[in-house]
Amino acid sequence: MKKNKLKYVGKSIPIHDVTEKVTGRLKYVGDIELHGMLHARLLLSDIAHGKIKRIDTSKAEALPGVKAIFTYENSPNTLYNSHVWLEGMEIIKDERLFSDKIRYYGDRIAAVIAEDAKTAKKAVDLIKVEYEELPVITDPEEALKEDVVKIHSPGNVTFSKELECGNIDEGFEKADYVFEDRITTQKQHHAAMEPHVCIAAPDPFGNITIWSPCQVIFQVRLITAEVLNMPLNKIRVIKAPMGGSFGGKGQPILEPICAFLAKEVGTPIKLQMDRVQTIIGTRTRNAVIGKVKTAVDSKGNILARDIDILVDNGAYFTNGSAVNMAMAKKYFRLYRIKNQRYKGTSVYTNTPIGGACRGYGSPQIHTITEINIDNIARSLNMDPVELRLKNLVHPYDEDPIGGPNLGNARVIDCVKKGAEAFKWKEKWNRPKSKGRFVKGVGMACSTHGNGYHGAYPDFITMSLRLTEDGGAYLKSGIHDLGCGTVTSIKQIVAEVLDIHPDKILAPEGDTMISPFDSAGTQASRVTFVCGGCAKKVAELAKDKLISYAAKILNCSKDDIVVEDGLVWSVNTPHYKVSYGSIVTETQNNFEDSIEVTYTYKSPSNPGVYSANFAEVEIDTLTGLVRVVDFLAVHDVGKAINKGFVEGQIHGGVQMGIGYALSEEITIDKKGRIKSDNFNRYHIINAPDMPNVKVLLIEEGEKDGPFGAKSVGEIAAVASTPAVINAINNALDIKINSLPATPEKIIKALKEKERTVNRI
Amino acid sequence: MESLVVETPESLDELVECLKRADKNTYLLAGGTDLIIRMRRSKIYSGKVIDLSGINELKKIKEESKYLRIGALVTHSMISENDKIKEFFPALMEASSQVGSTQIRNRGTIAGNIANSSPCADTVPPLMTSSAKVRTINGKGEIKERDIDEVVKGSGFNYLQKDEAIIEIIIPKLGNEYLSAFGKLGSRTAVTIAKINGAILVKMDSTGKKIKKAYVSLGALGPKAFRSKIVEDRLIGKEISRQLFHDLCNSLIEQVDLAIKGRSSHPYKREAIKGMAQDIFIRLFGSGVLENEKK
């Protein structure tokens, strides 16, 4: 069979629901109205730490249109952890639907159900809560201390772990230089356009159906069943169209509450948050304090590295250990460093809850280590590109702590080709400008994974049936977060079957009809693992098609040619039959269906890699930074859909620049959140975005479908340290606290001025 | 049950009728870009909203021999694109063009910007530098003219009576001898709330090289924008030079120190105001002065 030229894979086919989206006809959960549906709104706390002494709901209850109010007094007391996606995961359980103890500004106190959303909001405003306030911890280092208030009874330290390869002490002994940095990263909001929303509807049989723009239907079902003490089969979760997630909708937050309310009241319930509630009351990127120490010789070879990471998991644990371990793993997979140690600790604070957020630890760990690498280069008077090239990993290197092989790791290609395309040498060596506006360049690398293989069970079942009219129906629990999952999966199946993607139906997840998927849209696993399964199941279906075609056409399997929806025997090339005819004849004459169900276990977990190059222009009078040029080079193995890959990278760079410069959930000493809306929480908007250029390294990955690897998460990683490094290089300062606000830049410049004057 | 009543006058006469019945729970709606947010934040579910948007006579910019009369419902977009305002008072044009986002500028009005009385309202500093007047009408049909300072109280409050509405802003047509410019420092290029803003209006002498009169107003350094005597004194009688720029910076820093010393924003604002100073200076006098002369 000829299969040299790809027909559908690699093409920029538009996302499957583009027309419905741009014409406004797609119904998001916020648009859905069900008969008899009531509306719910949450009351979130306006203090950061305390015990509830009294909740007075009388005024709210008296408001016409209010149907019910729920607090800790009349709701299940079940402890759960919304991060659990697979039965059997052992982990701290510390969340409740509603708590009698407040642990952060935004903790859930009550839910009001009313005839309409406005009445629900009015009623929420009428609830009076009396607290007994407790001391507030907002600083994770403060949380480590012995004699401070305990946010949860077992204590504030939730996790600690040490990982090591080689011999750290030996490495440091041999060093010519040791470079140390302490870098802090902030809490980031996902800023999806669609705030959190969910509908739950009970039926007369005691089932509950949940419509949610979520990332993991089976996780939503698992957690909801646990909290409501219901059988899994009584809960149906349907993945609804999604207005963005970026990890923010990765954990079930509203779903168990909404299902509980629907069950209690007996009508469909829509539970919706506004922007303020979504910022303060859902999940955030964990803030991290990283202390990194790197030993190098005079030639720039890295001999050893030691890092101490403190993760602020906020008021509830959720993924406080997983995110820490995710950071640990990335730490060992970017540079060839013989002697390395990672020490990770996670703590509670009275601040917004950490959770999945695009990159899942990668932005934090790489920000910390890549700023350190650049600081080393500057101190050694070396080009940071050269320093990196000396130390980066090579294809098929082993993971030094025993994790999966790095696979076709092409980070060196990323750096070399990127430096050339960006004209790095020229820009790096350019004399520094003196005036008010100063330009400078910076770069950084990063790595990320491809699923859970090596850490957690990673498998998915898909079922593919060829239809009587020559189409195909793929049943699976996929979730399109707006990145083009459905279309990418269709492209893979289309390529294998050699039919147009439009002939394939590939609905998103619905726990009632989708075969099981172990982990949902998480961990950058969709293209690599789910795509791998789609390819495999399509191959098996095609094989079945060929088997029956051979019987029908009276020839051997080897004589069968399958091309563009038609099947024939090499012996009778003038007689071609459609796939549909084979399917029909198979049904009628062989009582069988061209249908395959397959459970695919991810066979490996290679790294994806990137090198990002940024040029910034800094107003030295105001401290404002603009990124004026940007090149993102990504080792993606193979782009299934070029347009989607570029789109992911553009969006990821925007998120990364925001993380570098302006995005921050600011929390005052009392734990109150100041940047609780987009007037104070500034993402990078169009006037401040550079024209992002994308360069793809497509060298193929053995186990990826058509060689593909992940891109969605790594896209949001290297831009942050690249921008910070550009600022540091341009101004000869050391920004060590993110985001690099104008205030911090001016402060650093003033300090530099003072130092220079002293000398 | 409590309810929110909306009245929709279509003329000044009808507006007066509405204002006659106004009480403490009456709100005037122009563009709504501030009011709607404030109503939600303050949990206002009842009362009366007088929606001014149907009064077409307040949507025009009229030119008279000595004045430009800007209707209360003129939006920031309309001001940004108006040739007469650009000609006679560029500082106001610049201020309006930097308010919020395109969508906000398409709805937000100049009268709303004044009445909302935010400390960082962008149009207030330029209006304060000119002898702009705010014309109001009340429930008795009485028309009054006041200075901006007599309307803006600050920190989100104004001095208007409950039965009073702004109907016009009157700005003098300033001749060629006048130069004006606005500057703003936010946390990003566009769609940003001012950390500092300011406007400078100068009257040049006949040579065009020396400042005869100076009017300087600064925002976001207190409950409301204010005229800075310190900075004005430093400019009056001076020739345009690099030295003048340094004097401008230093006097602005002095003013910032006086206004907000001790606040957490002070160390940054006293530095960053130099950036705004340079922007304004260049808009007023061109970039040549700063480029040609050496330190």
Side-chain angles (χ1 to χ4, degrees):
Chain A
M1 271 188 295
K2 51 173 186 181
K3 195 96 239 178
N4 300 326
K5 219 169 150 254
L6 294 171
K7 217 164 162 181
Y8 303 113
V9 162
K11 300 285 182 314
S12 296
I13 298 170
I15 194 164
H16 69 287
D17 54 5
V18 61
T19 310
E20 293 72 16
K21 270 181 182 156
V22 298
T23 55
R25 283 180 295 173
L26 187 72
K27 290 259 183 279
Y28 292 91
V29 175
D31 303 320
I32 297 174
E33 292 293 333
L34 298 179
H35 183 70
M37 187 172 80
L38 298 174
H39 296 259
R41 185 173 166 92
L42 296 176
L43 169 64
L44 304 182
S45 80
D46 55 3
I47 66 157
H49 202 191
K51 285 179 191 140
I52 294 177
K53 274 165 42 185
R54 212 167 75 92
I55 305 179
D56 180 1
T57 56
S58 56
K59 275 192 181 160
E61 278 165 49
L63 191 71
V66 171
K67 300 291 180 185
I69 298 175
F70 292 92
T71 67
Y72 73 94
E73 288 169 329
N74 55 353
S75 63
N77 196 26
T78 315
L79 283 167
Y80 62 98
N81 183 332
S82 55
H83 160 69
V84 171
W85 69 85
L86 204 59
E87 186 69 68
M89 280 172 68
E90 292 294 328
I91 200 156
I92 295 172
K93 292 181 178 182
D94 57 10
E95 297 170 63
R96 288 180 177 87
L97 288 184
F98 305 103
S99 181
D100 61 340
K101 193 182 167 191
I102 300 308
R103 294 183 173 88
Y104 80 109
Y105 180 97
D107 216 340
R108 290 191 298 266
I109 297 174
V112 172
I113 299 172
E115 276 170 0
D116 55 76
K118 204 172 142 192
T119 306
K121 186 180 182 311
K122 269 190 195 175
V124 161
D125 294 339
L126 291 170
I127 298 175
K128 285 212 172 69
V129 186
E130 279 175 48
Y131 307 102
E132 179 193 326
E133 292 202 38
L134 292 165
V136 172
I137 302 175
T138 57
D139 175 0
E141 285 179 333
E142 174 84 9
L144 282 173
K145 292 179 185 163
E146 285 287 319
D147 52 348
V148 293
V149 66
K150 284 181 181 172
I151 294 166
H152 291 266
S153 51
N156 294 333
V157 177
T158 54
F159 174 83
S160 69
K161 181 120 186 159
E162 230 177 273
L163 294 165
E164 194 173 343
C165 66
N167 187 324
I168 274 283
D169 299 333
E170 216 169 84
F172 276 93
E173 270 162 33
K174 284 187 196 154
D176 293 320
Y177 306 99
V178 173
F179 297 98
E180 229 178 312
D181 283 296
R182 179 187 184 275
I183 291 156
T184 62
T185 67
Q186 75 281 30
K187 287 188 192 254
Q188 187 180 25
H189 168 56
H190 306 81
M193 276 205 272
E194 177 196 41
H196 282 58
V197 59
C198 173
I199 291 177
D203 74 11
F205 304 95
N207 304 303
I208 294 174
T209 303
I210 298 170
W211 287 264
S212 170
C214 66
Q215 295 184 209
V216 192
I217 48 168
F218 291 103
Q219 180 178 357
V220 171
R221 187 177 67 162
L222 185 68
I223 301 288
T224 305
E226 183 185 3
V227 175
L228 303 188
N229 194 22
M230 282 173 71
L232 290 170
N233 279 342
K234 288 269 175 199
I235 295 164
R236 177 183 183 185
V237 180
I238 300 171
K239 157 70 175 64
M242 175 182 263
S245 177
F246 312 102
K249 291 160 187 158
Q251 295 177 1
I253 300 167
L254 299 185
E255 295 93 332
I257 306 167
C258 194
F260 163 70
L261 301 176
K263 190 181 168 209
E264 288 299 303
V265 180
T267 62
I269 301 283
K270 183 190 283 183
L271 175 55
Q272 205 161 2
M273 283 179 150
D274 54 21
R275 180 59 55 186
V276 173
Q277 290 197 332
T278 302
I279 291 179
I280 69 172
T282 62
R283 299 289 180 265
T284 65
R285 183 184 300 294
N286 300 78
V288 168
I289 299 174
K291 288 177 221 160
V292 59
K293 208 162 84 172
T294 309
V296 293
D297 67 17
S298 56
K299 290 180 186 134
N301 296 301
I302 302 175
L303 306 177
R305 188 162 69 172
D306 197 7
I307 198 165
D308 191 341
I309 291 289
L310 180 60
V311 172
D312 175 357
N313 57 233
Y316 293 91
F317 187 62
T318 77
N319 63 343
S321 54
V323 78
N324 210 322
M325 286 305 289
M327 290 172 72
K329 285 174 185 165
K330 312 302 177 287
Y331 175 70
F332 291 94
R333 290 167 71 90
L334 184 56
Y335 293 97
R336 275 182 168 175
I337 305 172
K338 214 174 131 201
N339 311 299
Q340 278 202 100
R341 182 165 59 190
Y342 178 96
K343 192 178 165 225
T345 310
S346 304
V347 290
Y348 286 127
T349 59
N350 296 115
T351 65
I353 307 167
C357 184
R358 196 179 196 178
Y360 210 95
S362 278
Q364 294 97 313
I365 191 74
H366 289 113
T367 292
I368 293 160
T369 54
E370 286 296 283
I371 293 173
N372 175 249
I373 294 277
D374 250 51
N375 288 346
I376 296 170
R378 278 196 290 152
S379 301
L380 293 179
N381 212 6
M382 263 183 94
D383 181 337
V385 162
E386 298 304 325
L387 178 69
R388 283 183 174 85
L389 287 174
K390 269 179 195 276
N391 294 286
L392 285 164
V393 294
H394 290 239
Y396 306 105
D397 274 3
E398 288 300 334
D399 180 312
I401 54 163
N405 185 276
L406 307 192
N408 196 5
R410 294 285 177 165
V411 66
I412 290 175
D413 290 16
C414 290
V415 173
K416 281 185 174 164
K417 290 190 175 151
E420 204 183 307
F422 193 70
K423 297 196 167 64
W424 170 267
K425 274 247 168 309
E426 192 185 313
K427 287 179 176 161
W428 176 256
N429 292 318
R430 202 172 44 197
K432 282 186 182 157
S433 41
K434 283 272 186 283
R436 171 177 174 182
F437 295 95
V438 173
K439 276 189 176 183
V441 290
M443 59 90 58
C445 298
S446 73
T447 182
H448 202 73
N450 278 276
Y452 280 128
H453 177 79
Y456 298 100
D458 197 351
F459 61 93
I460 179 168
T461 304
M462 288 188 181
S463 182
L464 182 69
R465 185 174 89 85
L466 299 193
T467 59
E468 299 81 344
D469 57 355
Y473 171 32
L474 181 77
K475 263 200 283 189
S476 75
I478 54 171
H479 311 69
D480 201 316
L481 311 189
C483 341
T485 295
V486 167
T487 303
S488 302
I489 294 284
K490 281 188 193 182
Q491 282 174 267
I492 291 167
V493 172
E495 191 67 54
V496 174
L497 296 178
D498 201 356
I499 57 174
H500 195 277
D502 286 351
K503 296 186 94 169
I504 300 165
L505 171 67
E508 295 182 64
D510 174 342
T511 55
M512 196 162 88
I513 49 174
S514 303
F516 189 66
D517 171 33
S518 69
T521 296
Q522 300 192 84
S524 282
R525 67 187 282 273
V526 174
T527 300
F528 189 75
V529 183
C530 306
C533 183
K535 179 160 181 277
K536 181 71 186 174
V537 79
E539 283 164 357
L540 292 171
K542 189 177 180 180
D543 194 54
K544 197 166 180 182
L545 177 80
I546 291 170
S547 297
Y548 276 109
K551 287 182 190 174
I552 290 160
L553 297 174
N554 251 327
C555 62
S556 94
K557 270 178 77 177
D558 296 338
D559 293 336
I560 293 290
V561 181
V562 178
E563 202 180 295
D564 202 15
L566 294 172
V567 185
W568 66 91
S569 160
V570 283
N571 309 319
T572 51
H574 55 279
Y575 182 66
K576 293 176 178 167
V577 289
S578 67
Y579 293 0
S581 305
I582 304 286
V583 170
T584 305
E585 284 203 43
T586 304
Q587 291 175 350
N588 287 307
N589 300 331
F590 299 96
E591 291 174 273
D592 201 357
S593 175
I594 310 289
E595 184 169 4
V596 175
T597 298
Y598 186 77
T599 301
Y600 179 85
K601 295 172 201 152
S602 181
S604 58
N605 193 346
V608 274
Y609 291 86
S610 77
N612 283 189
F613 298 80
E615 181 169 19
V616 300
E617 185 183 78
I618 305 140
D619 181 341
T620 54
L621 292 181
T622 64
L624 282 164
V625 178
R626 275 172 59 87
V627 181
V628 292
D629 195 10
F630 201 96
L631 172 69
V633 192
H634 281 263
D635 161 29
V636 298
K638 168 78 193 168
I640 300 293
N641 182 315
K642 267 219 165 84
F644 292 166
V645 171
E646 285 171 3
Q648 283 291 306
I649 294 169
H650 287 164
V653 169
Q654 185 265 355
M655 201 169 174
I657 296 176
Y659 191 45
L661 297 179
S662 60
E663 293 189 38
E664 181 176 21
I665 298 178
T666 47
I667 302 161
D668 71 12
K669 288 260 177 289
K670 288 189 156 177
R672 290 173 303 202
I673 294 152
K674 296 189 321 194
S675 56
D676 66 355
N677 213 331
F678 283 143
N679 59 344
R680 291 206 181 87
Y681 186 95
H682 277 182
I683 61 169
I684 301 297
N685 55 10
D688 282 343
M689 264 303 278
N691 182 16
V692 176
K693 286 167 260 177
V694 173
L695 183 63
L696 300 181
I697 307 294
E698 298 187 78
E699 293 294 328
E701 183 64 48
K702 176 172 62 75
D703 293 323
F706 299 97
K709 296 195 279 190
S710 70
V711 71
E713 293 194 86
I714 195 172
V717 181
S719 45
T720 304
V723 167
I724 299 289
N725 286 340
I727 297 168
N728 285 344
N729 288 328
L731 301 178
D732 195 23
I733 56 173
K734 273 190 187 177
I735 292 291
N736 51 23
S737 148
L738 267 69
T741 57
E743 285 81 357
K744 288 179 194 168
I745 289 172
I746 290 299
K747 193 166 169 245
L749 281 172
K750 290 303 282 181
E751 272 161 19
K752 187 181 103 178
E753 216 173 88
R754 273 197 289 273
T755 320
V756 170
N757 289 342
R758 236 179 281 142
I759 296 163
Chain B
M1 192 179 160
E2 51 182 13
S3 65
L4 197 66
V5 179
V6 180
E7 294 188 343
T8 55
E10 290 183 3
S11 66
L12 278 184
D13 291 342
E14 287 182 25
L15 172 62
V16 170
E17 284 307 307
C18 297
L19 290 171
K20 227 175 243 174
R21 298 186 300 270
D23 60 24
K24 67 178 176 33
N25 296 319
T26 300
Y27 308 94
L28 297 179
L29 174 77
T33 53
D34 287 309
L35 182 73
I36 301 298
I37 292 162
R38 283 177 86 161
M39 287 179 79
R40 287 197 182 140
R41 190 166 292 166
S42 310
K43 295 163 189 172
I44 294 164
Y45 299 111
S46 63
K48 185 163 71 181
V49 171
I50 303 175
D51 176 5
L52 306 172
S53 65
I55 310 175
N56 289 329
E57 58 196 286
L58 299 184
K59 294 179 183 171
K60 294 184 186 105
I61 298 172
K62 292 176 212 153
E63 185 182 5
E64 291 178 353
S65 59
K66 286 186 170 172
Y67 300 100
L68 292 177
R69 308 174 78 97
I70 306 172
L73 297 178
V74 167
T75 65
H76 295 296
S77 293
M78 289 161 74
I79 293 174
S80 309
E81 288 155 18
N82 187 280
D83 290 340
K84 293 293 166 192
I85 291 176
K86 191 177 175 185
E87 183 183 346
F88 295 111
F89 197 24
L92 181 62
M93 187 272 294
E94 287 162 11
S96 275
S97 73
Q98 291 183 52
V99 171
S101 62
T102 305
Q103 291 92 326
I104 294 288
R105 290 193 292 275
N106 285 343
R107 296 235 22 125
T109 63
I110 184 164
N113 202 229
I114 294 165
N116 188 52
S117 296
S118 156
C120 45
D122 287 320
T123 61
V124 171
L127 290 172
M128 272 189 179
T129 61
S130 74
S131 46
K133 299 282 177 198
V134 178
R135 262 165 78 91
T136 57
I137 197 164
N138 68 11
K140 295 183 195 120
E142 294 166 340
I143 288 176
K144 286 180 195 161
E145 269 185 27
R146 275 179 275 191
D147 289 340
I148 293 284
D149 238 353
E150 294 168 321
V151 178
V152 178
K153 191 172 175 186
S155 299
F157 297 94
N158 60 46
Y159 289 118
L160 296 171
Q161 299 299 313
K162 259 300 150 197
D163 72 334
E164 230 175 352
I166 298 173
I167 51 170
E168 253 179 357
I169 320 298
I170 302 165
I171 56 171
K173 282 162 73 177
L174 301 168
N176 283 338
E177 68 277 25
Y178 284 93
L179 302 170
S180 75
F182 170 82
K184 173 176 178 174
L185 180 71
S187 54
R188 57 183 172 190
T189 313
V191 200
T192 184
I193 296 165
K195 288 178 182 173
I196 318 174
N197 56 14
I200 298 182
L201 170 70
V202 289
K203 186 183 183 187
M204 306 303 290
D205 73 358
S206 53
T207 66
K209 284 180 183 164
K210 205 182 223 177
I211 296 171
K212 215 168 154 185
K213 286 180 182 171
Y215 310 86
V216 177
S217 174
L218 300 170
L221 291 171
K224 69 166 172 176
F226 58 85
R227 284 268 299 276
S228 172
K229 195 92 174 59
I230 298 174
V231 183
E232 289 174 357
D233 286 349
R234 212 70 69 86
L235 299 178
I236 295 167
K238 299 286 168 57
E239 280 204 18
I240 309 309
S241 66
R242 194 166 181 112
Q243 186 54 47
L244 179 69
F245 172 65
H246 288 298
D247 289 349
L248 171 65
C249 286
N250 290 334
S251 58
L252 282 168
I253 292 168
E254 218 174 289
Q255 183 65 70
V256 171
D257 289 350
L258 267 176
I260 58 166
K261 197 160 195 169
R263 288 214 209 154
S264 61
S265 63
H266 172 248
Y268 174 70
K269 286 187 179 179
R270 81 187 299 275
E271 289 299 324
I273 200 160
K274 289 185 268 183
M276 188 181 89
Q278 198 182 97
D279 294 341
I280 293 178
F281 192 89
I282 290 171
R283 272 177 213 141
L284 286 171
F285 310 119
S287 57
V289 187
L290 299 183
E291 280 163 13
N292 298 338
E293 287 181 44
K294 284 187 181 150
K295 262 186 183 175

